[in-house]
Amino acid sequence: MYGFKRNLDKLFYVLNHFFVDKFFMAVKVMSGHGLIHFICIAIFLIMLQVFVYALEKSTSEEKSFDTFSSIRDAREYEELRGVWLSTVGNIDWPIKNGSEEDQKNLLIAYLDKMVQQNMNAVFFQAKPTGGAMYPSKYAPFAAEFTGEEQIENPYNIDFLEFLINEAHARNIEVHVWVNPFRIATHSDRSRLSPKNFGVVYEALDKDGLAGESNQTNSMITYGGRLYLDPGHPIAHDYVIEVVQELLVNYDIDGIHFDDYFYQYKVAGETWNDENTCRTSKTGRKFNCSREEGTAGKKGLGDWRRDNINRLVERIQKEIKEIKPYVKWGISPFGVWRNALTPENNSSIFDSEGSRTRAGQTSYDDLYADARLWYRSGSHYVDYLVPQIYWTRHLQAASYNVVTDWWIKEGRRGGVKAALYIGHALYKAGNSDNVEPWKDVATMAEQIEFNREETKSNVVAGSVFFTMHDLMDRPGYPNNLVGYKMMNYVRTKLYKNPSLIPVVRAMKDRKAPPPVKNLKADVLSDSAVRLSWQDSSPWKVDRYGHLTSEPARYYVVYRLREGGEVEILKKVWRQAHSYNIEFTDGSAEPGQYTYAVASLDRLHNQSKLMQVSLRVPVLIGRQEYAFETQRE
């Protein structure tokens, strides 16, 4: 059929231009040959054009409308594909004592790699400890830059602002990742800057400024590291101030916490916070001397979970008051609770947990009730990214078993927070016989499991730890396996760009208006130029950042006759721009339908505007291509 139409194109070209030439000849000799000759040629030419138009119209609009209207339900078109960019201990960035250009170039290399892999969200660790990767009123510059915390910026640039601008230009969301209570990855107080809040925190007690009477503000030393006490109200206030500063100063898409609330248990050490529990107002309803409650009174563990719940809820309220379009999410440890009796502690298990025997759990050891947050919709968080850092072969906590537990939780009634899955890309190449991480298909298998088992679209995407494992780094054999894993994912599952799904629990579901005046011009037999206008105004909030109302970017879909719909490009909207162009340089002769939609920063998608045309086989000069436009 395609070959027939291609030959028909050539015939139309010859006939059309033959009669056009005849038309002009008729004009020249009309006086000599009579008016009737001219009229006959003109009528025949018009009839030929009408015939061509009718054929083009019928072939271009056939089934395209039904296909485009169903794209929002297709998994391959909407999927968060994120990666954590870790800064603590210089895991991914920054380069210790690196030049400004080297620091910028590495960030750009990471973002360009994400574009190449068709990924769409970066989770940047902006505050890994008491130090920050950006100019902050509440923190010194992190020790990762020079080896020691610095009060003054060691560079002439705000790297967080730089990252945000570069990421957004590539249509990549930026979630700012904060570790709330970790002050330092060592226990030497003398190495802390006077601006580090751990130092400020302890000084408050000496000046008699403690938040509540009889409370001390001493940092907790645990596992050779320094932490704030999550049960202390001053620690909560500090975390809120950090979040507020990031919201006001930066055009971010999300605030993100990892799994470190209370810390993973260290054998032989005790987290000393009983005094905080006994002397705080919130601790009066709890038995602070016992982990588990007695005689109807909840215990120390319940008080700790209450502390974290109140902080998580407070952050959600704060974000929605300042910038309701910014998402709030947490990446908890993958296992909420064990349903099977753990081998190391027969007293801790819950029939509602997953059929696992994890050595530690989010609920019992980190005091993070992630299931409560998940079930409560946007009351606590907008999304969760449980870290399911195992393969399906690990019997104690199989990837498939844990992921399936989260999926089943998501199928319960009510609107849940969005669910993404955290994958252990950093384990690629691990020689552990219990978990074979050397198979390059491992990541693809996990993603396919998520897609196969989520008929109700529970899992909305994936986030990979960590950024440098996307790269080809000579001299790091394990890293090379991760690089190959993600290339396999790219060729098998991430072939085309993908949109980030709308978070159902967020209230802003109003889509921007559709584009207008969509046109398509054939530039050659391999290039089509699309142009359109945006009808939505450019609006910014009181901080100068784009609100959630106008279009932030556009998506261009393409359907070739006999093929499948593909996302061809996501086009970023420049500030205050209303006339937009995009050239498809991968077209071939044939019938095409293009569709363009505008999307806001929450990824609400407008109605589609469509244009159909035939890319002809050009003979000597450019040929006119018919087009039709529909909503």
Side-chain angles (χ1 to χ4, degrees):
M1 184 66 179
Y2 171 66
F4 170 75
K5 289 183 177 179
R6 182 168 181 166
N7 291 329
L8 202 59
D9 274 339
K10 294 180 180 180
L11 176 61
F12 287 157
Y13 177 87
V14 173
L15 291 174
N16 190 20
H17 286 282
F18 172 78
F19 282 103
V20 168
D21 292 339
K22 287 292 186 182
F23 171 79
F24 286 110
M25 289 177 59
V27 171
K28 293 180 181 179
V29 298
M30 182 171 55
S31 58
H33 291 78
L35 183 62
I36 189 67
H37 188 186
F38 168 75
I39 293 175
C40 290
I41 293 175
I43 292 174
F44 188 84
L45 178 60
I46 292 171
M47 291 176 63
L48 178 64
Q49 296 284 28
V50 169
F51 172 72
V52 173
Y53 177 81
L55 182 61
E56 292 283 346
K57 185 175 179 65
S58 64
T59 57
S60 66
E61 295 183 357
E62 183 180 357
K63 82 173 183 178
S64 66
F65 215 47
D66 291 338
T67 303
F68 279 127
S69 66
S70 65
I71 58 177
R72 296 181 188 179
D73 298 325
R75 294 282 297 157
E76 62 268 28
Y77 300 113
E78 292 190 354
E79 184 176 56
L80 183 132
R81 301 168 182 173
V83 59
W84 281 289
L85 201 166
S86 309
T87 61
V88 64
N90 304 89
I91 292 177
D92 294 320
W93 187 90
I95 304 168
K96 186 176 179 180
N97 292 318
S99 69
E100 181 176 312
E101 285 305 308
D102 286 343
Q103 308 287 20
K104 291 164 61 176
N105 289 340
L106 182 55
L107 290 176
I108 289 174
Y110 284 149
L111 295 174
D112 286 345
K113 185 63 177 180
M114 291 183 65
V115 172
Q116 181 186 351
Q117 297 293 103
N118 283 326
M119 304 180 83
N120 52 30
V122 61
F123 295 76
F124 176 71
Q125 193 174 24
K127 196 170 181 305
T129 58
M133 297 291 163
Y134 57 93
S136 173
K137 179 181 177 181
Y138 306 104
F141 287 90
E144 280 77 5
F145 283 116
T146 63
E148 297 293 337
E149 294 177 348
Q150 304 288 330
I151 293 179
E152 299 298 328
N153 191 347
Y155 297 92
N156 296 315
I157 186 175
D158 182 343
F159 284 115
L160 177 54
E161 183 176 22
F162 174 80
L163 174 78
I164 291 169
N165 291 336
E166 292 292 330
H168 283 169
R170 293 164 173 78
N171 266 297
I172 295 173
E173 271 198 348
V174 179
H175 294 243
V176 175
W177 169 15
V178 173
N179 191 291
F181 300 118
R182 184 169 60 201
I183 289 298
T185 56
H186 57 79
S187 59
D188 186 355
R189 284 168 164 78
S190 67
R191 292 174 55 188
L192 300 180
S193 163
K195 196 176 180 181
N196 189 306
F197 188 75
V199 176
V200 177
Y201 175 73
E202 292 192 331
L204 289 174
D205 185 54
K206 296 176 182 178
D207 295 337
L209 299 175
E212 298 179 17
S213 61
N214 300 322
Q215 276 195 275
T216 61
N217 301 334
S218 297
M219 286 182 283
I220 293 177
T221 301
Y222 189 76
R225 300 181 175 189
L226 293 171
Y227 301 94
L228 298 179
D229 186 344
H232 202 300
I234 292 179
H236 285 214
D237 292 342
Y238 162 71
V239 174
I240 294 296
E241 288 172 338
V242 168
V243 170
Q244 289 173 336
E245 183 179 54
L246 288 166
L247 289 169
V248 170
N249 291 345
Y250 296 98
D251 188 20
I252 58 179
D253 302 293
I255 296 286
H256 182 77
F257 283 9
D258 55 23
D259 49 331
Y260 291 104
F261 290 98
Y262 288 88
Q263 305 308 303
Y264 286 92
K265 291 183 177 178
V266 177
E269 295 198 32
T270 302
W271 186 270
N272 294 313
D273 64 346
E274 289 186 20
N275 185 57
T276 309
C277 179
R278 284 193 297 268
T279 57
S280 66
K281 291 180 181 179
T282 59
R284 295 171 184 171
K285 299 179 181 179
F286 299 88
N287 185 342
C288 298
S289 60
R290 293 178 58 90
E291 172 73 22
E292 302 296 327
T294 56
K297 197 171 187 179
K298 295 182 178 180
L300 182 64
D302 298 302
W303 173 74
R304 290 171 176 169
R305 279 183 287 273
D306 181 66
N307 290 329
I308 303 305
N309 289 340
R310 286 186 294 103
L311 176 63
V312 170
E313 182 180 25
R314 186 179 172 188
I315 291 173
Q316 176 70 307
K317 290 179 180 179
E318 195 68 32
I319 291 173
K320 300 316 174 191
E321 287 179 5
I322 297 176
K323 288 183 177 178
Y325 53 82
V326 171
K327 302 169 189 173
W328 163 224
I330 296 174
S331 178
F333 181 71
V335 176
W336 173 70
R337 297 196 89 182
N338 292 311
L340 302 179
T341 304
E343 297 174 357
N344 61 342
N345 190 335
S346 61
S347 64
I348 302 177
F349 68 99
D350 188 326
S351 60
E352 295 191 13
S354 55
R355 296 189 62 79
T356 54
R357 287 190 172 91
Q360 299 197 51
T361 68
S362 174
Y363 184 94
D364 298 294
D365 298 284
L366 301 173
Y367 304 99
D369 193 354
R371 186 181 72 160
L372 172 66
W373 309 336
Y374 184 35
R375 285 184 169 185
S376 300
S378 62
H379 182 73
Y380 286 101
V381 294
D382 298 314
Y383 68 84
L384 286 183
V385 193
Q387 299 171 25
I388 307 180
Y389 285 177
W390 314 285
T391 67
R392 59 187 173 86
H393 302 284
L394 184 65
Q395 293 183 357
S398 164
Y399 176 89
N400 292 14
V401 170
V402 178
T403 302
D404 191 55
W405 182 88
W406 284 100
I407 290 171
K408 289 178 179 177
E409 282 292 319
R411 286 177 175 155
R412 296 177 183 268
V415 178
K416 306 292 188 298
L419 180 68
Y420 316 121
I421 300 299
H423 301 264
L425 183 61
Y426 76 100
K427 288 187 176 181
N430 192 331
S431 60
D432 188 344
N433 291 327
V434 178
E435 296 191 69
W437 283 99
K438 293 190 175 183
D439 185 352
V440 295
T442 298
M443 288 294 118
E445 288 177 356
Q446 292 185 354
I447 297 169
E448 286 178 322
F449 179 84
N450 298 347
R451 290 179 175 180
E452 177 186 352
E453 295 296 319
T454 51
K455 303 302 182 184
S456 57
N457 289 335
V458 177
V459 178
S462 298
V463 186
F464 303 91
F465 186 86
T466 181
M467 178 67 82
H468 72 252
D469 292 298
L470 291 176
M471 314 298 283
D472 180 8
R473 297 200 304 168
Y476 294 85
N478 283 7
N479 191 93
L480 182 60
V481 178
Y483 169 76
K484 291 180 177 179
M485 277 187 182
M486 292 311 295
N487 278 349
Y488 185 79
V489 168
R490 164 71 174 83
T491 57
K492 186 175 177 64
L493 302 175
Y494 289 0
K495 296 178 182 179
N496 298 308
S498 179
L499 303 177
I500 295 177
V502 174
V503 175
R504 293 177 300 167
M506 297 183 75
K507 295 180 180 180
D508 189 353
R509 301 297 301 275
K510 184 179 179 180
V515 303
K516 59 184 181 181
N517 299 327
L518 175 63
K519 296 180 179 179
D521 297 306
V522 176
L523 302 182
S524 70
D525 57 2
S526 62
V528 174
R529 180 177 59 206
L530 301 174
S531 62
W532 63 88
Q533 292 179 322
D534 196 308
S535 56
S536 64
W538 185 270
K539 294 183 180 180
V540 295
D541 59 24
R542 54 182 169 166
Y543 309 110
H545 302 146
L546 189 68
T547 67
S548 59
E549 299 176 35
R552 185 181 182 90
Y553 68 102
Y554 315 92
V555 59
V556 179
Y557 298 96
R558 183 178 73 176
L559 174 63
R560 182 175 178 178
E561 184 180 38
E564 297 180 353
V565 175
E566 59 182 319
I567 292 180
L568 194 60
K569 183 70 175 179
K570 293 186 289 183
V571 181
W572 184 252
R573 182 183 184 183
Q574 301 297 323
H576 306 290
S577 62
Y578 294 92
N579 298 302
I580 301 95
E581 288 188 356
F582 166 72
T583 298
D584 174 14
S586 61
E588 297 177 352
Q591 181 72 26
Y592 287 91
T593 298
Y594 293 90
V596 176
S598 55
L599 295 93
D600 62 19
R601 66 182 305 150
L602 289 174
H603 313 287
N604 292 301
Q605 186 173 170
S606 73
K607 292 182 179 179
L608 295 171
M609 297 299 293
Q610 299 182 37
V611 60
S612 298
L613 78 165
R614 176 173 293 281
V615 177
V617 178
L618 299 183
I619 308 175
R621 56 179 174 171
Q622 182 166 316
E623 178 179 342
Y624 175 75
F626 293 94
E627 62 183 43
T628 58
Q629 183 174 334
R630 296 180 61 179
E631 284 190 16

